[in-house]
Amino acid sequence: MKLFHNLLGLIFSFALMAVLLITSIEAVTYWTPGYYEKEYTKYQVLEAVDMEMDDLLEVTDEMMAYLRGDRKDLHVPTIVAGQPREFFNEREIAHMEDVQGLFLKAIALRRICLVVCVVMLLFMILSKADLRTLLPSSLCIGTGLFFAVIAALAAIISTNFTKYFIMFHHMFFTNDLWILDPTTDMLINIVPEGFFMDTAGRIAFLFGALSLILFGICLIMTLKNKRR
């Protein structure tokens, strides 16, 4: 029975860590006021697209709404070089449909992981597990293992971001629509490679901070339980 309880605890902890990771991605992507403006300034995006900051931020808001599923399409009228036009062309719109699919699948996965957490918790309760000791120790082990894997992947990716950025697209996209042309596609100009690197760094930092806080709390609880 103890082995069964430990298995339930590990599944619970892995599911919870997946929730934290997806939430970290969502937080950096959607919930960081001023982030896009700072990035656009840092990488001189306004000069590249010949737009005013307010117009570009409005386009960004519409793009984020689309990725969340709050907007039906990406036909976004704006002002470029002083002239009214659609910001995204048909190739970019087709590519962003695939990107939206990834975002929505990640949100769906988070819901599944939350359900898994609840189910594992119910199983532990019904099987009369000692939650006071089981949960902290399981979360210590699960958090440590999950974080170690993510940290190792992050370290590997940081050695050659471009290489693994391309590999990611080959893994998750079944077409070449993600290969954009800066002379015709506006999207590549507003999200240059540096932007992706900065975003990945912020996600790693937030996820790492949440993981360490959770690990620290559970470690303290585990040590207290052992003293008892």
Side-chain angles (χ1 to χ4, degrees):
M1 186 60 74
K2 184 177 180 181
L3 182 62
F4 177 65
H5 287 163
N6 289 336
L7 178 61
L8 293 177
L10 283 178
I11 294 174
F12 174 87
S13 62
F14 286 147
L16 182 60
M17 290 299 290
V19 170
L20 290 182
L21 178 58
I22 295 170
T23 301
S24 297
I25 294 171
E26 186 180 39
V28 172
T29 305
Y30 299 140
W31 307 338
T32 312
Y35 175 59
Y36 289 93
E37 184 174 356
K38 291 177 183 177
E39 290 293 293
Y40 293 154
T41 301
K42 178 179 179 179
Y43 293 107
Q44 300 178 326
V45 171
L46 296 179
E47 291 80 359
V49 297
D50 198 3
M51 291 178 67
E52 297 294 329
M53 181 64 79
D54 289 344
D55 291 330
L56 185 54
L57 291 177
E58 184 176 348
V59 169
T60 304
D61 288 341
E62 296 298 334
M63 181 172 66
M64 293 298 104
Y66 174 76
L67 292 177
R68 289 194 300 269
D70 296 335
R71 181 186 169 93
K72 291 183 179 180
D73 58 52
L74 264 183
H75 292 286
V76 182
T78 189
I79 304 296
V80 178
Q83 301 295 322
R85 56 157 284 181
E86 289 272 340
F87 186 86
F88 299 101
N89 60 35
E90 293 304 317
R91 182 181 180 86
E92 291 168 304
I93 290 173
H95 169 57
M96 290 302 288
E97 288 180 4
D98 294 335
V99 176
Q100 183 197 51
L102 290 180
F103 271 81
L104 296 181
K105 286 174 183 175
I107 299 303
L109 177 60
R110 182 173 60 184
R111 294 193 189 102
I112 293 171
C113 289
L114 285 171
V115 171
V116 170
C117 286
V118 173
V119 171
M120 293 302 104
L121 193 58
L122 286 174
F123 277 147
M124 284 185 271
I125 293 172
L126 292 174
S127 60
K128 298 181 180 180
D130 184 1
L131 296 182
R132 189 180 65 179
T133 57
L134 177 62
L135 282 181
S137 61
S138 295
L139 284 170
C140 269
I141 296 171
T143 300
L145 290 175
F146 194 97
F147 182 74
V149 171
I150 295 299
L153 287 174
I156 292 171
I157 292 171
S158 67
T159 60
N160 191 334
F161 184 86
T162 301
K163 172 186 174 181
Y164 293 105
F165 182 76
I166 293 172
M167 284 179 61
F168 169 85
H169 282 80
H170 283 312
M171 288 173 60
F172 290 99
F173 297 100
T174 58
N175 52 56
D176 65 352
L177 295 174
W178 61 274
I179 304 175
L180 301 175
D181 184 347
T183 63
T184 58
D185 304 319
M186 300 286 277
L187 184 60
I188 194 173
N189 291 314
I190 67 171
V191 285
E193 183 177 300
F195 168 84
F196 284 107
M197 294 177 67
D198 291 348
T199 302
R202 290 173 73 94
I203 292 170
F205 176 81
L206 179 58
F207 174 69
L210 292 174
S211 300
L212 289 174
I213 290 171
L214 179 61
F215 178 81
I217 293 172
C218 292
L219 180 60
I220 291 171
M221 294 176 65
T222 299
L223 292 175
K224 285 184 176 180
N225 288 331
K226 286 185 176 181
R227 290 195 189 100
R228 292 195 187 103

